[in-house]
Amino acid sequence: MDDFAYIPAKYDWNYRPNTQSGRRPDYVDVEHAKEWPARHTRYLTMGLCAFFRETGYEPAIELAGRLARFVRHHADFFDEEGGFLARHDGDMGPKSAVQFCSHVDTLLGFADYALTSDEREFAEFARRGYEYARRLGNPEIGFFPEYIKWPQDRGVISCELCDTAAMTGAALKLTEAGVGD
């Protein structure tokens, strides 16, 4: 048995139901769960950790670990130092958009899993990714970019509240895990 689990979804950014050009995304195998679709695991991992903390139900933390291992080691979502890799189709073409919040929320899920399971590797990796994310924004004022690769035709770089909230949550969770201050 593999040491990881995944959600077998291929996400088609341009899918529009009930149109001539719309084609339903495929739901198939591990290759279709990598990169951008891997972001679907972030909240599930945190939910499974919370469920385990409340109930002690071992299969919940086991599944959380398998999902975290997939994203960390198999999904091409981050580089080895925690840099953001996963992209979706954007205004500048296929796989041109690197969304900040999806990556930081995933790091938050890793930190939560590390804290819940004592798998320190995930806490250290989440810290490296968090440090990478800090360099992309301005932590003194809480500004973090919605996208890292910003479309050229937009006149502004925006910060969504989810970006600031994710960074705040990650900072608190990393401190609780003993790898941040």
Side-chain angles (χ1 to χ4, degrees):
M1 176 185 284
D2 292 323
D3 72 337
F4 63 87
Y6 59 90
I7 299 171
K10 178 181 179 183
Y11 188 81
D12 183 351
W13 188 259
N14 296 312
Y15 171 60
R16 302 289 183 266
N18 304 319
T19 66
Q20 196 71 7
S21 61
R23 184 169 98 36
R24 182 170 299 282
D26 298 323
Y27 295 87
V28 198
D29 58 22
V30 69
E31 290 304 313
H32 293 101
K34 290 183 174 181
E35 299 176 9
W36 184 244
R39 79 191 191 292
H40 294 298
T41 65
R42 67 191 191 258
Y43 300 124
L44 183 54
T45 301
M46 289 185 269
L48 288 164
C49 288
F51 186 77
F52 173 76
R53 285 191 301 271
E54 291 299 315
T55 67
Y57 185 64
E58 288 291 329
I61 197 65
E62 290 168 10
L63 181 55
R66 291 177 65 166
L67 290 167
R69 281 189 291 282
F70 172 72
V71 176
R72 167 72 179 91
H73 298 292
H74 304 287
D76 302 324
F77 203 76
F78 297 101
D79 67 22
E80 283 303 310
E81 292 304 310
F84 302 168
L85 296 177
R87 301 162 190 272
H88 64 75
D89 295 347
D91 296 344
M92 294 174 19
K95 294 193 175 190
S96 63
V98 181
Q99 188 187 43
F100 188 89
C101 189
S102 290
H103 287 85
V104 177
D105 278 345
T106 303
L107 293 169
L108 179 56
F110 286 176
D112 194 32
Y113 173 68
L115 189 61
T116 306
S117 69
D118 291 326
E119 283 200 39
R120 303 303 301 164
E121 178 223 346
F122 283 94
E124 291 297 332
F125 183 81
R127 183 195 52 76
R128 290 194 308 271
Y130 174 81
E131 293 300 330
Y132 169 83
R134 275 180 56 98
R135 292 190 298 271
L136 297 172
N138 185 331
E140 277 101 36
I141 62 171
F143 182 92
F144 299 98
E146 177 185 5
Y147 283 95
I148 296 168
K149 302 280 186 189
W150 197 256
Q152 299 297 324
D153 60 349
R154 296 189 187 179
V156 298
I157 296 176
S158 67
C159 170
E160 295 180 323
L161 290 178
C162 62
D163 302 320
T164 304
M167 287 296 285
T168 303
L172 294 170
K173 191 63 74 171
L174 290 169
T175 299
E176 188 179 355
V179 295
D181 58 4

